[in-house]
Amino acid sequence: MRNHVAIGMLAVLLGACATTGNIAENAVIHAKNRVAPALVHIRPVKEVFEGGKREEVPVVGSGFIISPDGYVVTNEHVAGQSKSVKCVLSNKEEVEATVVGVDPDTDIGVLKLTTGRRDLPAVKLGTSHDLKAGQTVLALGSPHGLARSVSLGIVSVPDRYLEDRGPMVSSYNTWIQTDAAINPGNSGG
């Protein structure tokens, strides 16, 4: 009789875990589906001068449309000093963009898509004031130039302090550290 009760209790616990897992999984999918339409795959071309030669170097990155008329936020190290920028929207449409502003100190760049449309899917920027270690985070972007990926993690530290080192000198020295997989090309996402 005790074994049947124990097995019954185990079945209830496993069922609860499966339900909790489904709730968490559904929350992740819901969050991804809300944000993914505004995700932009960014392909800037940068001019590099090495050994007396000028070369054009293609770069990959990510960004998000933040207004229905086509403003995109990304990282400065993705879009800054670009000769040209092409963006691929969620519907696979390729659009030219111009760099309208960059801030190397905060590593933020802003692009303007040249579609002329005013009905683009956009996300609302949030705030990091209330972030806590352990909260779930998603990283959406284009790792290694492969568009439309999502990875899951947690906020490891909401206010990581990094000392000024070499070229990384900034008056903004606290960063959000996460364990979500971030690869080259995710920048800006």
Side-chain angles (χ1 to χ4, degrees):
M1 178 73 170
R2 277 191 287 195
N3 287 341
H4 291 294
V5 171
I7 290 171
M9 297 272 292
L10 181 59
V12 169
L13 287 172
L14 289 175
C17 288
T19 301
T20 303
N22 288 341
I23 291 170
E25 182 178 286
N26 289 339
V28 168
I29 291 168
H30 177 73
K32 187 234 5 142
N33 288 343
R34 282 185 53 208
V35 174
L39 177 63
V40 176
H41 174 69
I42 300 174
R43 295 192 319 232
V45 174
K46 297 187 178 201
E47 286 185 325
V48 177
F49 294 91
E50 288 187 25
K53 293 192 324 192
R54 180 185 77 79
E55 292 184 39
E56 291 185 357
V57 178
V59 180
V60 293
S62 308
F64 284 98
I65 301 170
I66 58 169
S67 68
D69 60 343
Y71 283 93
V72 174
V73 69
T74 187
N75 286 122
E76 184 276 336
H77 73 265
V78 170
Q81 300 178 356
S82 294
K83 179 180 177 191
S84 65
V85 181
K86 292 189 190 253
C87 296
V88 180
L89 308 181
S90 63
N91 65 1
K92 309 269 192 282
E93 179 184 357
E94 190 171 308
V95 177
E96 295 281 333
T98 56
V99 178
V100 295
V102 295
D103 181 16
D105 288 341
T106 57
D107 195 22
I108 297 293
V110 178
L111 307 174
K112 176 68 168 88
L113 300 174
T114 59
T115 66
R117 290 177 46 194
R118 296 192 164 287
D119 63 346
L120 294 166
V123 293
K124 181 180 170 193
L125 292 178
T127 179
S128 60
H129 288 49
D130 299 324
L131 273 181
K132 293 177 181 46
Q135 285 185 301
T136 302
V137 292
L138 298 178
L140 280 76
S142 303
H144 306 291
L146 305 169
R148 314 277 173 247
S149 80
V150 61
S151 60
L152 174 70
I154 62 167
V155 172
S156 303
V157 177
D159 57 355
R160 171 67 64 207
Y161 176 75
L162 300 173
E163 294 181 16
D164 293 341
R165 292 184 192 154
M168 194 175 103
V169 178
S170 173
S171 54
Y172 307 100
N173 289 67
T174 56
W175 305 93
I176 300 166
Q177 179 183 333
T178 178
D179 70 348
I182 305 291
N183 294 294
N186 271 112
S187 291

